[in-house]
Amino acid sequence: MRALLISSVLAAAFAVSPALAAETLLVPVVPEDASAPARLAPLAADSPWTARFEAAADELLPALRSGDESRWAPLLGGRWLATADRARVSALLSERSSPFRHALFSRALTHRAILGWQPPASLTADEQAAIAARPEAEAIVCWSSYGDDQWPSTAAEADNAPGRRYACTRVTYSIRGETPTWRAFIEQGAGGPV
């Protein structure tokens, strides 16, 4: 009887209503200030990464233009590229309203931009040098047939949403190990092909 009474008291002590649980936090939470998205800027011509991303873009462009999955899929993850992602990329390459159709298949000259993230002004020179010395880097590669004057200013604008005047891929590059490797990712904004 005593054990039953003790367990009932403990259960009552630890029972908290859902409304009270939502108000009582173990750790105080301070809402974060919304920060502006990181701005993009062209990679510097003297950056050690520029030539690597140019070579990746030069390999990626004809593979995407071919429309042949056996050519572009290995550059977008190969066997790790999900079936749904393969279908989405195929649709982006073939859909008439897709930015890829206008950027890669126009009769006009295709322009290219390779963009990186502008470091925050708060970074010191040593912090910027440490970032530059890393064995991995990431860039946004965009193509447009409209000219060379309008590119995304943030990564969110490199989403290949319908109506964009450019088509973009995000390329990650690593120089770890014996052989440098890279992989491309194609994001898709709301309202794009299914």
Side-chain angles (χ1 to χ4, degrees):
M1 181 73 162
R2 177 181 257 185
L4 183 60
L5 183 60
I6 290 173
S7 63
S8 297
V9 170
L10 284 174
F14 290 114
V16 177
S17 72
L20 182 59
E23 294 174 11
T24 306
L25 300 175
L26 295 176
V27 177
V29 176
V30 178
E32 291 184 21
D33 293 334
S35 60
R39 307 290 295 171
L40 297 176
L43 287 186
D46 62 349
S47 166
W49 292 103
T50 300
R52 291 182 175 109
F53 283 113
E54 287 174 344
D58 289 345
E59 188 176 345
L60 187 56
L61 179 63
L64 293 173
R65 275 189 171 151
S66 75
D68 182 355
E69 184 176 327
S70 68
R71 289 186 63 192
W72 56 257
L75 305 177
L76 299 177
R79 65 180 185 209
W80 293 281
L81 185 62
T83 303
D85 290 330
R86 288 175 189 270
R88 183 179 52 78
V89 172
S90 288
L92 276 169
L93 295 176
S94 61
E95 181 68 33
R96 293 186 72 82
S97 64
S98 166
F100 278 95
R101 292 299 300 171
H102 299 288
L104 304 184
F105 303 104
S106 170
R107 293 177 194 250
L109 176 67
T110 299
H111 301 272
R112 178 181 74 193
I114 301 177
L115 309 166
W117 284 261
Q118 286 182 340
S122 61
L123 289 183
T124 66
D126 289 340
E127 290 170 328
Q128 289 183 23
I131 290 170
R134 288 182 184 163
E136 300 94 14
E138 187 173 282
I140 304 278
V141 177
C142 299
W143 297 276
S144 175
S145 61
Y146 289 104
D148 206 13
D149 62 343
Q150 186 179 8
W151 300 110
S153 59
T154 67
E157 295 174 1
D159 63 355
N160 300 305
R164 297 281 190 212
R165 295 174 58 93
Y166 44 78
C168 299
T169 63
R170 181 172 49 90
V171 178
T172 59
Y173 208 109
S174 174
I175 55 172
R176 288 184 187 270
E178 299 282 321
T179 307
T181 58
W182 64 270
R183 179 179 176 188
F185 299 85
I186 297 179
E187 317 315 19
Q188 183 178 1
V194 177

Tab-separated table of all heavy atoms in Angstrom, residues 59-89:
chain	number	residue	atom	x	y	z
A	59	GLU	N	32.829	20.883	-67.769
A	59	GLU	CA	32.418	19.485	-67.890
A	59	GLU	C	30.904	19.333	-67.718
A	59	GLU	O	30.263	18.530	-68.391
A	59	GLU	CB	33.154	18.648	-66.833
A	59	GLU	CG	32.962	17.166	-66.978
A	59	GLU	CD	33.782	16.364	-65.975
A	59	GLU	OE1	34.703	16.908	-65.343
A	59	GLU	OE2	33.467	15.165	-65.827
A	60	LEU	N	30.342	20.135	-66.828
A	60	LEU	CA	28.921	20.036	-66.519
A	60	LEU	C	28.034	20.559	-67.645
A	60	LEU	O	27.002	19.953	-67.963
A	60	LEU	CB	28.637	20.799	-65.220
A	60	LEU	CG	27.250	20.690	-64.619
A	60	LEU	CD1	26.859	19.241	-64.364
A	60	LEU	CD2	27.200	21.486	-63.312
A	61	LEU	N	28.424	21.659	-68.276
A	61	LEU	CA	27.585	22.277	-69.311
A	61	LEU	C	27.233	21.311	-70.443
A	61	LEU	O	26.053	21.128	-70.749
A	61	LEU	CB	28.243	23.551	-69.843
A	61	LEU	CG	27.477	24.274	-70.950
A	61	LEU	CD1	26.130	24.771	-70.449
A	61	LEU	CD2	28.303	25.433	-71.486
A	62	PRO	N	28.195	20.665	-71.109
A	62	PRO	CA	27.796	19.756	-72.200
A	62	PRO	C	26.998	18.547	-71.711
A	62	PRO	O	26.140	18.041	-72.432
A	62	PRO	CB	29.117	19.329	-72.835
A	62	PRO	CG	30.182	19.717	-71.876
A	62	PRO	CD	29.643	20.778	-70.991
A	63	ALA	N	27.252	18.111	-70.487
A	63	ALA	CA	26.484	16.977	-69.953
A	63	ALA	C	25.020	17.372	-69.773
A	63	ALA	O	24.116	16.610	-70.128
A	63	ALA	CB	27.083	16.518	-68.631
A	64	LEU	N	24.771	18.569	-69.242
A	64	LEU	CA	23.387	19.031	-69.083
A	64	LEU	C	22.741	19.292	-70.435
A	64	LEU	O	21.578	18.954	-70.655
A	64	LEU	CB	23.344	20.299	-68.222
A	64	LEU	CG	23.742	20.128	-66.754
A	64	LEU	CD1	23.825	21.476	-66.066
A	64	LEU	CD2	22.778	19.201	-66.038
A	65	ARG	N	23.488	19.886	-71.352
A	65	ARG	CA	22.940	20.177	-72.690
A	65	ARG	C	22.554	18.900	-73.430
A	65	ARG	O	21.619	18.901	-74.226
A	65	ARG	CB	23.960	20.952	-73.522
A	65	ARG	CG	23.919	22.419	-73.297
A	65	ARG	CD	24.797	23.127	-74.301
A	65	ARG	NE	24.578	24.556	-74.218
A	65	ARG	CZ	25.491	25.458	-74.509
A	65	ARG	NH1	26.684	25.087	-74.908
A	65	ARG	NH2	25.203	26.732	-74.415
A	66	SER	N	23.283	17.836	-73.176
A	66	SER	CA	22.988	16.581	-73.882
A	66	SER	C	21.607	16.054	-73.497
A	66	SER	O	20.976	15.353	-74.288
A	66	SER	CB	24.051	15.529	-73.547
A	66	SER	OG	23.853	15.010	-72.236
A	67	GLY	N	21.156	16.382	-72.282
A	67	GLY	CA	19.885	15.837	-71.808
A	67	GLY	C	19.969	14.358	-71.487
A	67	GLY	O	18.998	13.748	-71.058
A	68	ASP	N	21.142	13.770	-71.677
A	68	ASP	CA	21.354	12.341	-71.490
A	68	ASP	C	21.680	12.069	-70.018
A	68	ASP	O	22.724	12.477	-69.510
A	68	ASP	CB	22.506	11.888	-72.385
A	68	ASP	CG	22.792	10.403	-72.300
A	68	ASP	OD1	22.170	9.706	-71.476
A	68	ASP	OD2	23.657	9.943	-73.073
A	69	GLU	N	20.791	11.380	-69.348
A	69	GLU	CA	20.977	11.101	-67.928
A	69	GLU	C	22.280	10.371	-67.639
A	69	GLU	O	22.907	10.589	-66.601
A	69	GLU	CB	19.786	10.302	-67.397
A	69	GLU	CG	19.846	10.047	-65.905
A	69	GLU	CD	18.632	9.337	-65.372
A	69	GLU	OE1	17.520	9.550	-65.881
A	69	GLU	OE2	18.796	8.560	-64.419
A	70	SER	N	22.708	9.532	-68.553
A	70	SER	CA	23.948	8.794	-68.323
A	70	SER	C	25.164	9.732	-68.320
A	70	SER	O	26.214	9.366	-67.796
A	70	SER	CB	24.132	7.695	-69.370
A	70	SER	OG	24.375	8.248	-70.653
A	71	ARG	N	25.014	10.939	-68.851
A	71	ARG	CA	26.113	11.915	-68.842
A	71	ARG	C	26.031	12.860	-67.654
A	71	ARG	O	27.046	13.188	-67.048
A	71	ARG	CB	26.120	12.720	-70.147
A	71	ARG	CG	26.571	11.881	-71.335
A	71	ARG	CD	26.720	12.685	-72.584
A	71	ARG	NE	27.756	13.712	-72.455
A	71	ARG	CZ	27.932	14.689	-73.321
A	71	ARG	NH1	27.164	14.769	-74.394
A	71	ARG	NH2	28.881	15.578	-73.140
A	72	TRP	N	24.809	13.351	-67.311
A	72	TRP	CA	24.731	14.320	-66.225
A	72	TRP	C	24.581	13.686	-64.853
A	72	TRP	O	25.027	14.246	-63.862
A	72	TRP	CB	23.662	15.381	-66.458
A	72	TRP	CG	22.258	14.912	-66.710
A	72	TRP	CD1	21.621	14.870	-67.911
A	72	TRP	CD2	21.294	14.465	-65.742
A	72	TRP	NE1	20.338	14.415	-67.758
A	72	TRP	CE2	20.113	14.171	-66.439
A	72	TRP	CE3	21.313	14.294	-64.367
A	72	TRP	CZ2	18.967	13.690	-65.806
A	72	TRP	CZ3	20.171	13.822	-63.731
A	72	TRP	CH2	19.015	13.531	-64.450
A	73	ALA	N	23.964	12.521	-64.744
A	73	ALA	CA	23.730	11.910	-63.423
A	73	ALA	C	25.024	11.636	-62.655
A	73	ALA	O	25.074	11.897	-61.454
A	73	ALA	CB	22.894	10.648	-63.565
A	74	PRO	N	26.090	11.140	-63.290
A	74	PRO	CA	27.321	10.921	-62.520
A	74	PRO	C	27.888	12.215	-61.911
A	74	PRO	O	28.531	12.171	-60.862
A	74	PRO	CB	28.297	10.342	-63.554
A	74	PRO	CG	27.430	9.742	-64.603
A	74	PRO	CD	26.212	10.617	-64.661
A	75	LEU	N	27.637	13.340	-62.532
A	75	LEU	CA	28.147	14.613	-62.022
A	75	LEU	C	27.262	15.171	-60.905
A	75	LEU	O	27.676	16.080	-60.181
A	75	LEU	CB	28.250	15.619	-63.163
A	75	LEU	CG	29.080	15.164	-64.368
A	75	LEU	CD1	29.048	16.208	-65.465
A	75	LEU	CD2	30.503	14.845	-63.956
A	76	LEU	N	26.053	14.625	-60.772
A	76	LEU	CA	25.104	15.078	-59.753
A	76	LEU	C	24.939	14.064	-58.627
A	76	LEU	O	23.962	14.122	-57.888
A	76	LEU	CB	23.735	15.366	-60.388
A	76	LEU	CG	23.695	16.444	-61.463
A	76	LEU	CD1	22.301	16.557	-62.051
A	76	LEU	CD2	24.144	17.775	-60.918
A	77	GLY	N	25.855	13.152	-58.504
A	77	GLY	CA	25.792	12.194	-57.403
A	77	GLY	C	25.812	10.744	-57.819
A	77	GLY	O	25.921	9.865	-56.972
A	78	GLY	N	25.667	10.468	-59.107
A	78	GLY	CA	25.741	9.089	-59.578
A	78	GLY	C	24.730	8.189	-58.912
A	78	GLY	O	23.549	8.517	-58.825
A	79	ARG	N	25.186	7.072	-58.405
A	79	ARG	CA	24.265	6.088	-57.823
A	79	ARG	C	23.586	6.598	-56.554
A	79	ARG	O	22.608	6.042	-56.110
A	79	ARG	CB	24.983	4.780	-57.559
A	79	ARG	CG	26.057	4.877	-56.514
A	79	ARG	CD	26.713	3.535	-56.309
A	79	ARG	NE	27.663	3.626	-55.205
A	79	ARG	CZ	28.729	2.900	-55.098
A	79	ARG	NH1	28.996	1.997	-56.026
A	79	ARG	NH2	29.538	3.034	-54.073
A	80	TRP	N	24.106	7.669	-55.959
A	80	TRP	CA	23.487	8.234	-54.767
A	80	TRP	C	22.414	9.263	-55.108
A	80	TRP	O	21.749	9.774	-54.231
A	80	TRP	CB	24.537	8.869	-53.849
A	80	TRP	CG	25.433	7.824	-53.269
A	80	TRP	CD1	25.164	7.003	-52.218
A	80	TRP	CD2	26.724	7.472	-53.716
A	80	TRP	NE1	26.210	6.159	-51.981
A	80	TRP	CE2	27.196	6.419	-52.895
A	80	TRP	CE3	27.546	7.924	-54.746
A	80	TRP	CZ2	28.444	5.831	-53.064
A	80	TRP	CZ3	28.789	7.332	-54.904
A	80	TRP	CH2	29.221	6.298	-54.078
A	81	LEU	N	22.235	9.560	-56.380
A	81	LEU	CA	21.199	10.505	-56.800
A	81	LEU	C	19.853	9.771	-56.798
A	81	LEU	O	19.669	8.800	-57.534
A	81	LEU	CB	21.517	11.051	-58.191
A	81	LEU	CG	20.596	12.136	-58.726
A	81	LEU	CD1	20.646	13.379	-57.838
A	81	LEU	CD2	20.986	12.503	-60.157
A	82	ALA	N	18.944	10.225	-55.963
A	82	ALA	CA	17.652	9.558	-55.790
A	82	ALA	C	16.842	9.580	-57.084
A	82	ALA	O	16.992	10.482	-57.918
A	82	ALA	CB	16.859	10.228	-54.672
A	83	THR	N	15.976	8.598	-57.227
A	83	THR	CA	15.120	8.498	-58.407
A	83	THR	C	14.287	9.765	-58.584
A	83	THR	O	14.137	10.275	-59.700
A	83	THR	CB	14.211	7.263	-58.292
A	83	THR	OG1	15.042	6.107	-58.132
A	83	THR	CG2	13.338	7.101	-59.510
A	84	ALA	N	13.739	10.294	-57.484
A	84	ALA	CA	12.923	11.509	-57.568
A	84	ALA	C	13.766	12.699	-58.033
A	84	ALA	O	13.289	13.537	-58.802
A	84	ALA	CB	12.287	11.814	-56.214
A	85	ASP	N	15.016	12.766	-57.591
A	85	ASP	CA	15.897	13.853	-58.032
A	85	ASP	C	16.261	13.710	-59.506
A	85	ASP	O	16.365	14.697	-60.228
A	85	ASP	CB	17.165	13.912	-57.172
A	85	ASP	CG	16.887	14.390	-55.762
A	85	ASP	OD1	15.936	15.182	-55.583
A	85	ASP	OD2	17.603	13.970	-54.835
A	86	ARG	N	16.446	12.498	-59.965
A	86	ARG	CA	16.714	12.273	-61.398
A	86	ARG	C	15.532	12.766	-62.234
A	86	ARG	O	15.717	13.438	-63.246
A	86	ARG	CB	16.946	10.780	-61.675
A	86	ARG	CG	18.252	10.252	-61.157
A	86	ARG	CD	18.341	8.729	-61.358
A	86	ARG	NE	19.489	8.191	-60.686
A	86	ARG	CZ	20.693	8.063	-61.248
A	86	ARG	NH1	20.877	8.413	-62.488
A	86	ARG	NH2	21.688	7.561	-60.550
A	87	ALA	N	14.328	12.429	-61.799
A	87	ALA	CA	13.130	12.859	-62.531
A	87	ALA	C	12.993	14.380	-62.505
A	87	ALA	O	12.631	14.999	-63.513
A	87	ALA	CB	11.891	12.206	-61.934
A	88	ARG	N	13.307	14.997	-61.368
A	88	ARG	CA	13.200	16.451	-61.244
A	88	ARG	C	14.203	17.146	-62.167
A	88	ARG	O	13.867	18.103	-62.865
A	88	ARG	CB	13.447	16.849	-59.781
A	88	ARG	CG	13.306	18.315	-59.499
A	88	ARG	CD	13.548	18.618	-58.029
A	88	ARG	NE	14.781	18.084	-57.506
A	88	ARG	CZ	15.986	18.629	-57.708
A	88	ARG	NH1	16.112	19.709	-58.424
A	88	ARG	NH2	17.067	18.071	-57.183
A	89	VAL	N	15.434	16.648	-62.221
A	89	VAL	CA	16.443	17.244	-63.096
A	89	VAL	C	16.058	17.033	-64.558
A	89	VAL	O	16.173	17.951	-65.377
A	89	VAL	CB	17.850	16.681	-62.793
A	89	VAL	CG1	18.863	17.140	-63.829
A	89	VAL	CG2	18.301	17.092	-61.389
